[in-house]
Amino acid sequence: MNCNELRAGQTLVCERCGLELKVVNECTNDSCSVGCTGDMDCCGEPMKLKE
Ligand SMILES: [Zn+2]
């Protein structure tokens, strides 16, 4: 899950500690993924999309 795949209103959650991050503004820079490859981590594990 790269930053430019996240859409406004989506929420990322850490299943370990319960931290939730909500997307308020989308990343609109297609070349941004060069510097943002990989998952966003919390507690050493990738954060997941909250349904
Ligand atoms: Zn965490």
Side-chain angles (χ1 to χ4, degrees), residues 1-2 8 10-11 13 23-24 28 31-32 34 40 43-44 47-49 51:
M1 185 64 63
N2 296 335
Q10 288 183 322
T11 300
V13 59
V23 179
V24 177
T28 55
S31 64
C32 186
V34 173
M40 295 181 194
C43 299
M47 298 186 76
K48 296 183 177 176
L49 272 179
E51 300 297 333

Side-chain angles (χ1 to χ4, degrees), residues 13-19 45-48:
V13 59
C14 172
E15 294 181 331
R16 283 202 169 186
C17 71
L19 173 70
E45 294 186 356
M47 298 186 76
K48 296 183 177 176

